[in-house]
Amino acid sequence: NTINFLFFVHYRALIFPLLIREGKPTPFFTFVLALLFCVFNGYLQGRSLTTYATYPPGWLGGSRFITGFLGWLIGMAINIHSDHILRNLRKPGETGYKIPRGGMFEYVSGANFFGEILEWFGFALACCTIESFAFALCTLFILSSRARQHHK
């Protein structure tokens, strides 16, 4: 189904791990918590969409789905472009803090976080399930906290 496909092709799950360069090591506990969250959320989203969610005929052509899909697509594009800018901030061997420029970084300091938040609220609108909205809210709270830390 189309909505399951949106969740499956999520940029962070499939593309980002292949593009990331060496960086700071992730603490094992953080890795385990993230893994548990992703497994639980993936199960919850998949189960709700395949078992409980029902959509009327023509849902994929309706304004809620199209608006949500566009939000998801634009959010993913912002996320991918912002991560590209971040990956290319420093030349190999270069260290130190640099302020990202270009793209959505001209408007928000955490453009990658903004893109992912937009992506998941678009997904929630396209799905119209309580589970997808709960995930969008979790994303908002977690990433806005990280964005605030990065901004400081």
Side-chain angles (χ1 to χ4, degrees):
N1 119 0
T2 303
I3 295 174
N4 283 333
F5 179 74
L6 298 181
F7 187 78
F8 179 73
V9 300
H10 173 51
Y11 161 71
R12 287 263 177 234
L14 294 176
I15 301 167
F16 182 76
L18 300 173
L19 298 175
I20 195 164
R21 294 180 183 168
E22 275 187 47
K24 297 176 192 169
T26 301
F28 184 71
F29 184 68
T30 303
F31 166 77
V32 170
L33 286 179
L35 178 67
L36 290 174
F37 176 82
C38 289
V39 167
F40 176 73
N41 183 55
Y43 172 78
L44 186 66
Q45 299 302 323
R47 180 80 174 179
S48 74
L49 291 171
T50 59
T51 306
Y52 302 110
T54 57
Y55 300 101
W59 176 262
L60 297 179
S63 61
R64 275 188 284 189
F65 177 81
I66 291 171
T67 303
F69 174 75
L70 289 173
W72 174 83
L73 192 62
I74 292 166
M76 189 188 311
I78 291 169
N79 199 358
I80 290 169
H81 184 252
S82 300
D83 279 347
H84 173 75
I85 291 171
L86 290 172
R87 274 192 314 277
N88 293 295
L89 272 178
R90 293 178 203 85
K91 294 177 176 73
E94 194 175 36
T95 60
Y97 183 77
K98 291 201 172 186
I99 296 174
R101 300 281 182 217
M104 285 300 292
F105 284 109
E106 298 301 319
Y107 306 100
V108 293
S109 58
N112 52 330
F113 300 127
F114 171 76
E116 188 151 354
I117 291 166
L118 177 59
E119 185 177 348
W120 292 117
F121 272 95
F123 178 78
L125 183 59
C127 296
C128 283
T129 65
I130 204 79
E131 295 84 1
S132 61
F133 182 66
F135 179 44
L137 282 178
C138 284
T139 301
L140 173 67
F141 294 136
I142 292 167
L143 294 185
S144 62
S145 170
R146 289 186 64 201
R148 207 171 15 260
Q149 290 172 337
H150 283 239
H151 182 76
K152 288 180 182 180

